[in-house]
Amino acid sequence: MVDILHRVGVVGSKDDVYAAITSPDRLAAWWTEDTTGDGDEGGVLKFQFLPGGFDMKVLETRPAERVLWEVVDGPAEWIGTHVRWDLHTEGDYTIVMFSHEGWREPVAFMNHCSTKWATYLMSMKQLVETGTGAPAPNDVQISNWH
Amino acid sequence: MVDILHRVGVVGSKDDVYAAITSPDRLAAWWTEDTTGDGDEGGVLKFQFLPGGFDMKVLETRPAERVLWEVVDGPAEWIGTHVRWDLHTEGDYTIVMFSHEGWREPVAFMNHCSTKWATYLMSMKQLVETGTGAPAPNDVQISNWH
């Protein structure tokens, strides 16, 4: 089992970062505009992109501290994996410790998703800090896989 | 042992991407301006940043195909790890399969380096595609750790 790991620091409160990863409206402002569903514990969030989408079951929400999703629909490589968000404060920053855990094999698509997650995390950071993110379909293109 | 994995696609030739990861002058244009040494097989490249630096022994160079570095000086967590670059063509793109392999533990610094590598790889992509990268000290700030 292999994991994607990232860390970004957002100049903003933990509450604002927590809202950015639990509210469908806020998620739509940094990840993909076509975001629906329920970001509270027990809910399912649906993230749709042009080529397909991901459905996330919300396993755990601890306000301003932690969010844990399980991928219940999407690409085969994603199903059953977990997306974990842990927040803490360091000075002016809310630190986001991010992991997308439980990939069965380090396939090329995992490399792609790792880089892509980094650009989306920067989009989330920009959203909280400036009010404007870069969600799909206007996200940063990193390669021929978009 | 845990690895950082990324994949970016550069609209440009494999020769141009290969130059970007072997020529000290080109490396200085996307990673850190303070880059010295020898990027050929058997050489040592020295990458200096404000808080410190990394010395890489060049273990393997296969022109326009592969570069493999071993970290011989730098932060304790980096020493002995390998940085691997594999290039191939897909249509108009040179695909860069990148890994920073052999971290002993998934420490928070690894999360940071994973996100930071993504932003540097985007800097390398921009350098090859547009002629201008964003090397340190004018790199993208991702957090309080810079």
Side-chain angles (χ1 to χ4, degrees):
Chain A
M1 302 279 259
V2 280
D3 305 335
I4 292 169
L5 304 175
H6 288 296
R7 176 188 186 276
V8 296
V10 180
V11 181
S13 73
K14 286 204 294 182
D15 286 340
D16 286 348
V17 174
Y18 185 77
I21 57 177
T22 50
S23 151
D25 287 352
R26 299 296 280 170
L27 286 157
W30 70 264
W31 197 16
T32 179
E33 289 181 1
D34 189 350
T35 297
T36 54
D38 173 5
D40 294 324
E41 211 165 287
V44 174
L45 285 163
K46 292 175 174 282
F47 301 99
Q48 199 62 35
F49 298 79
L50 284 182
F54 313 112
D55 290 1
M56 307 286 194
K57 179 158 188 196
V58 184
L59 295 186
E60 186 181 353
T61 55
R62 201 182 301 173
E65 296 291 340
R66 170 177 292 177
V67 169
L68 179 64
W69 297 335
E70 179 179 349
V71 182
V72 292
D73 200 7
E77 299 92 335
W78 277 50
I79 291 178
T81 61
H82 287 165
V83 177
R84 180 187 303 274
W85 308 80
D86 282 299
L87 314 182
H88 69 271
T89 302
E90 293 185 17
D92 293 337
Y93 289 84
T94 295
I95 302 300
V96 179
M97 295 293 288
F98 170 92
S99 54
H100 182 179
E101 305 170 347
W103 289 71
R104 286 172 289 278
E105 292 178 284
V107 291
F109 184 48
M110 182 176 164
N111 290 247
H112 167 76
C113 293
S114 175
T115 315
K116 198 77 191 176
W117 271 125
T119 64
Y120 281 125
L121 288 165
M122 294 302 287
S123 168
M124 186 271 286
K125 171 178 165 68
Q126 284 157 21
L127 173 68
V128 174
E129 292 179 353
T130 72
T132 306
N138 300 308
D139 48 326
V140 175
Q141 187 176 350
I142 65 168
S143 77
N144 56 334
W145 289 357
H146 202 99
Chain B
M1 301 278 261
V2 280
D3 305 336
I4 292 168
L5 304 174
H6 288 297
R7 177 188 185 275
V8 294
V10 180
V11 180
S13 72
K14 286 205 294 182
D15 286 340
D16 285 348
V17 174
Y18 184 78
I21 57 178
T22 51
S23 151
D25 286 351
R26 298 297 280 169
L27 286 158
W30 70 263
W31 197 15
T32 179
E33 289 182 358
D34 189 351
T35 297
T36 54
D38 173 6
D40 294 325
E41 210 165 289
V44 174
L45 285 162
K46 292 174 174 281
F47 301 99
Q48 200 62 33
F49 298 78
L50 284 182
F54 314 111
D55 290 1
M56 308 285 194
K57 180 160 189 195
V58 184
L59 295 187
E60 187 181 354
T61 56
R62 201 182 301 173
E65 297 290 340
R66 170 177 292 178
V67 169
L68 179 63
W69 296 335
E70 179 180 347
V71 181
V72 292
D73 199 6
E77 298 91 335
W78 277 51
I79 291 177
T81 61
H82 287 163
V83 177
R84 181 186 302 273
W85 308 80
D86 281 300
L87 313 182
H88 68 272
T89 302
E90 293 185 17
D92 293 338
Y93 288 83
T94 295
I95 303 299
V96 179
M97 296 292 288
F98 170 92
S99 53
H100 183 180
E101 306 169 345
W103 289 70
R104 285 171 290 278
E105 291 178 283
V107 290
F109 184 48
M110 182 176 165
N111 290 247
H112 167 76
C113 293
S114 176
T115 315
K116 198 78 191 178
W117 271 124
T119 62
Y120 281 125
L121 289 165
M122 294 301 287
S123 168
M124 186 271 286
K125 172 178 164 68
Q126 285 157 19
L127 172 68
V128 174
E129 292 179 353
T130 71
T132 306
N138 300 308
D139 49 327
V140 176
Q141 187 175 350
I142 65 168
S143 76
N144 56 334
W145 289 357
H146 201 98

